[in-house]
Amino acid sequence: MTAVATSTAPAAAQPGKVLDRTLWTVQILLGLFLVIASGLPKLAGQSDAVRIFHEIGFGDWFRYLTGLVEVAGGAGLLVPRLSGPAASGLSITMVLAAATQAFLLGAPALAPFPLVLAAVFAWIAYQRRDSIVAVREALAR
């Protein structure tokens, strides 16, 4: 007779599951933030967004573009196959937002927030790199 060893460790203790749950929690929170609190106000013409984008000097088209990028990126974070590419694009977007804060709006003290977000999005993109490869292969077909 052979004995079969079974693991009695709880499923929640598995590092892969904990990481995956943490990633999804962060992705959902940031996705909702980008869509509801950041992108949609830009698209709807919220007064502060209009004022800030006029200070930047690129006009309303840039506000609409930024709003669309944020809404699409936020939604992409919520779709498993698109989460890596969305996080990659949002990381670049946040670096550009920090540069805009520092150089065009003359508010370098506000630049760290988008830089922290850029780092979080880069971490998500790295962790979801399999989805980036899958999208790249699908586009190559």
Side-chain angles (χ1 to χ4, degrees):
M1 198 183 245
T2 47
V4 177
T6 58
S7 173
T8 58
Q14 296 174 350
K17 285 190 177 189
V18 172
L19 177 61
D20 193 52
R21 288 180 179 158
T22 301
L23 281 166
W24 278 114
T25 300
V26 171
Q27 286 173 231
I28 290 167
L29 291 173
L30 287 175
L32 291 174
F33 168 76
L34 284 168
V35 171
I36 296 167
S38 191
L40 288 179
K42 289 176 179 78
L43 295 175
Q46 191 250 355
S47 61
D48 286 336
V50 171
R51 179 184 51 77
I52 289 169
F53 277 84
H54 281 279
E55 286 179 28
I56 293 171
F58 291 158
D60 285 335
W61 71 270
F62 189 61
R63 176 174 51 88
Y64 289 124
L65 175 66
T66 303
L68 283 172
V69 167
E70 289 178 350
V71 168
L77 286 176
L78 305 177
V79 178
R81 188 173 182 138
L82 299 176
S83 60
S88 295
L90 287 167
S91 185
I92 294 166
T93 301
M94 292 301 128
V95 169
L96 295 173
T100 300
Q101 289 285 352
F103 301 115
L104 295 179
L105 293 175
L110 299 177
F113 179 69
L115 290 177
V116 168
L117 286 177
V120 172
F121 289 132
W123 173 67
I124 293 170
Y126 176 76
Q127 295 298 326
R128 302 295 191 199
R129 61 192 174 275
D130 291 343
S131 67
I132 296 171
V133 171
V135 168
R136 188 179 330 141
E137 289 173 356
L139 292 174
R141 291 182 201 151

